[in-house]
Amino acid sequence: MHPQLLQRIVEELRTNLTGRYLGKIIQLSSVSFAFDFGLRGEFLYVNVEPASPRLYLIRRRVKELERQSQPLNHFGLLLREKLSGEPVTAIEKAVEDRIVRFEFASRALIAQVTGRTADLFLLEGDQIEGGLRTQIKGI
C-alpha cells in the first residue's frame, strides 16, 4: 500500500470514525478483521497478510460478513475484551512509514501495513499487550 494512498485513507477514516464506539469485531481470516463502528453497512477492514496488507472501509451486510467469519482467535478475543465499547479519539499515520495508530479512550490499536512485517498490535500506554501475527504459528 503506497504511503500517499494510505494517508488519504487515514484522512477518510479520521473523518468517519473519530468519536465513534467500537462494536462488533468479526474475524474473516487468521490475519483479517472487520470492525463495526456503527456506520450502517460500512466496516473498517484490516488485513495484515504479508503479501498484500491493507486497511480501508468496506460496504457489506453484517450477515454477509458473519457467513464469511470464523471464531475470534486469542488476539481477537483480547481486542473484544479491551476495546469493545471504547470511542476512537484519534487516528494517525506515521510520517515516513505505513503504520496507522488508532487511539481509543484507554488503549491504542496499531496497524502495521508494511509487507512482510505487517501486524496488528494492542498497546496500553507504551506496553504491547498483544500482537496478531506474533501469536500465529508458522507466520
Side-chain angles (χ1 to χ4, degrees):
M1 188 170 257
H2 192 275
Q4 291 172 331
L5 172 61
L6 185 57
Q7 181 62 45
R8 282 184 268 161
I9 290 169
V10 166
E11 290 166 8
E12 177 187 10
L13 294 176
R14 190 179 300 129
T15 300
N16 288 300
L17 302 181
T18 302
R20 293 201 165 265
Y21 293 83
L22 178 60
K24 191 170 221 163
I25 299 171
I26 302 168
Q27 186 152 5
L28 300 171
S29 75
S30 63
V31 292
S32 66
F33 292 91
F35 297 96
D36 182 9
F37 286 95
L39 293 173
R40 298 181 188 221
E42 286 189 313
F43 299 83
L44 173 62
Y45 176 71
V46 180
N47 184 324
V48 293
E49 175 67 42
S52 61
R54 53 202 180 275
L55 78 144
Y56 46 80
L57 290 175
I58 59 172
R59 183 171 293 278
R60 300 284 189 285
R61 293 178 183 251
V62 174
K63 290 185 182 200
E64 180 183 339
L65 290 172
E66 287 175 342
R67 276 195 306 270
Q68 297 172 354
S69 73
Q70 59 188 46
L72 290 175
N73 63 15
H74 178 73
F75 185 72
L77 293 170
L78 180 67
L79 292 178
R80 184 172 69 188
E81 176 188 344
K82 304 292 184 178
L83 295 179
S84 285
E86 292 274 322
V88 175
T89 59
I91 303 172
E92 299 296 328
K93 179 193 165 297
V95 176
E96 293 294 323
D97 215 339
R98 292 170 290 167
I99 298 172
V100 179
R101 183 181 186 101
F102 295 87
E103 287 287 340
F104 288 83
S106 65
R107 289 175 171 74
L109 178 64
I110 306 297
Q112 184 174 301
V113 288
T114 54
R116 286 185 335 182
T117 60
D119 208 344
L120 281 175
F121 299 98
L122 180 65
L123 275 64
E124 182 176 17
D126 291 336
Q127 298 292 327
I128 296 176
E129 285 189 87
L132 175 61
R133 290 191 54 227
T134 57
Q135 296 175 357
I136 299 172
K137 302 282 189 230
I139 292 183

